[in-house]
Amino acid sequence: MLKNLYILSEGSWGIKSSEVFADLFYFLSTLTLFVYCFFHLAAVLWVPFVVSILLFVVFYILLKNSNYDVYWLGFITQVLLLFLITPAAFVSTSLLSLSIFFAAALYFFLNQYYELRIPILILTLFFLFFWDGVFGLMGVSLRNTNLFELPKIVELENTVIPFSYPLGSKIVWSPVAFGSLLESWGVYLLVSISWLAFRRSILFLYILGWFLVFGAWFLGNGSFGLLTLVSFVSLGVILHTIPGRNFYGSFYISVAMFFILVPISFLVGKFGICAMMSLLIFFVAEVVVTRVFLGK
């Protein structure tokens, strides 16, 4: 279990007992927030989440039966975070189920034939955007029409720190239709970053890297919003430090990928593509580059 942790120690890559507690804090934070949000949702919105959880349970069992080495704490955390950041419009039983199925199938295929382990969170998000676009072009909508209403969370976060959540950005989509359970990061952002990113001062490079990436996207898009930029950067850092994200990561590969992604992000913004795609491209490209150049 421990060998799958993505860890940067003071002088080298290694395992330390404190890292396990850091992962545990991350998991408990995500679990607490998800449970709080879940029980504030209308009962009709419970169905897609429950169905998705059952699908992920089946996927986990298949992984174990296929002798895949799964870091269970990271797996569960990724699933919970997926539910928290998925836009309300995408929380439909059909769209989530379809995306999870294809994400699981692609995960098996890439790992079996190419030994590429792209996080299931990233794959599922990709297929959510992909299938929504495909069915949208065919004139078929799989989107959910029941929007999230969490006034307590929104009111609290906007009072403490007014960070608009990226998926609800006015620059990309209607903030009403594409709000998520994490309508804004607020306190959760501060707690997560303090527990994770700033434990190691060198991880500040990750924050700087995401500023470069999304700053380039804003330049290509021809617009700039500081709060939205900070929200995207925060999203990048939180996903970057999620337990079990990288099975064989290299710090230097990660830093190099930021510079490779900057011109790509600029073009993504230039063509009016959602900034979220810059985030998804990073994790996929990093896994491929690590596999090719490090052979891990």
Side-chain angles (χ1 to χ4, degrees), residues 123-196:
L123 290 176
T124 307
L125 281 175
F126 169 78
F127 278 109
L128 279 172
F129 284 88
F130 175 79
W131 286 120
D132 177 72
V134 169
F135 282 98
L137 291 175
M138 294 189 297
V140 179
S141 178
L142 296 182
R143 293 181 180 180
N144 168 46
T145 56
N146 298 289
L147 303 181
F148 297 142
E149 294 183 3
L150 297 170
K152 293 182 179 179
I153 290 183
V154 174
E155 180 180 355
L156 171 63
E157 307 304 338
N158 288 337
T159 300
V160 179
I161 286 189
F163 283 166
S164 298
Y165 184 69
L167 292 179
S169 170
K170 295 180 181 179
I171 297 176
V172 184
W173 290 305
S174 165
V176 176
F178 283 86
S180 69
L181 290 180
L182 287 183
E183 188 65 35
S184 56
W185 288 108
V187 176
Y188 180 68
L189 177 148
L190 295 179
V191 174
S192 298
I193 296 301
S194 63
W195 276 347
L196 298 165

Side-chain angles (χ1 to χ4, degrees), residues 39-207:
F39 286 104
H40 279 79
L41 291 176
V44 67
L45 292 173
W46 290 9
V47 177
F49 285 122
V50 172
V51 171
S52 299
I53 290 174
L54 292 176
L55 289 175
F56 276 119
V57 169
V58 173
F59 176 48
Y60 181 82
I61 294 174
L62 290 176
L63 285 175
K64 297 299 291 185
N65 290 340
S66 302
N67 296 321
Y68 282 79
D69 193 9
V70 182
Y71 180 36
W72 65 270
L73 193 64
F75 182 87
I76 297 175
T77 306
Q78 289 188 35
V79 171
L80 293 175
L81 191 57
L82 170 69
F83 295 150
L84 288 171
I85 68 177
T86 298
F90 292 172
V91 182
S92 70
T93 303
S94 54
L95 185 56
L96 269 173
S97 300
L98 188 65
S99 300
I100 293 171
F101 174 81
F102 276 90
L106 184 58
Y107 183 92
F108 271 113
F109 176 80
L110 292 177
N111 197 30
Q112 182 73 27
Y113 293 99
Y114 301 101
E115 296 184 5
L116 296 176
R117 298 182 179 180
I118 300 173
I120 191 64
L121 166 65
I122 303 302
L123 290 176
T124 307
L125 281 175
F126 169 78
F127 278 109
L128 279 172
F129 284 88
F130 175 79
W131 286 120
D132 177 72
V134 169
F135 282 98
L137 291 175
M138 294 189 297
V140 179
S141 178
L142 296 182
R143 293 181 180 180
N144 168 46
T145 56
N146 298 289
L147 303 181
F148 297 142
E149 294 183 3
L150 297 170
K152 293 182 179 179
I153 290 183
V154 174
E155 180 180 355
L156 171 63
E157 307 304 338
N158 288 337
T159 300
V160 179
I161 286 189
F163 283 166
S164 298
Y165 184 69
L167 292 179
S169 170
K170 295 180 181 179
I171 297 176
V172 184
W173 290 305
S174 165
V176 176
F178 283 86
S180 69
L181 290 180
L182 287 183
E183 188 65 35
S184 56
W185 288 108
V187 176
Y188 180 68
L189 177 148
L190 295 179
V191 174
S192 298
I193 296 301
S194 63
W195 276 347
L196 298 165
F198 292 111
R199 290 182 306 105
R200 301 279 187 265
S201 58
I202 197 169
L203 292 183
F204 178 74
L205 291 176
Y206 290 153
I207 299 175

Side-chain angles (χ1 to χ4, degrees), residues 5 26 29 33-34 53 66 101-102 122 133 141 152 155 163 177 191 203 210 214 231-232 240-241 254 261 290:
L5 288 172
Y26 195 118
S29 299
L33 186 61
F34 173 74
I53 290 174
S66 302
F101 174 81
F102 276 90
I122 303 302
S141 178
K152 293 182 179 179
E155 180 180 355
F163 283 166
V191 174
L203 292 183
W210 289 119
F214 290 115
S231 296
F232 271 114
H240 206 111
T241 54
S254 295
L261 189 59
T290 301

Side-chain angles (χ1 to χ4, degrees), residues 36 69 255:
Y36 176 83
D69 193 9
V255 173

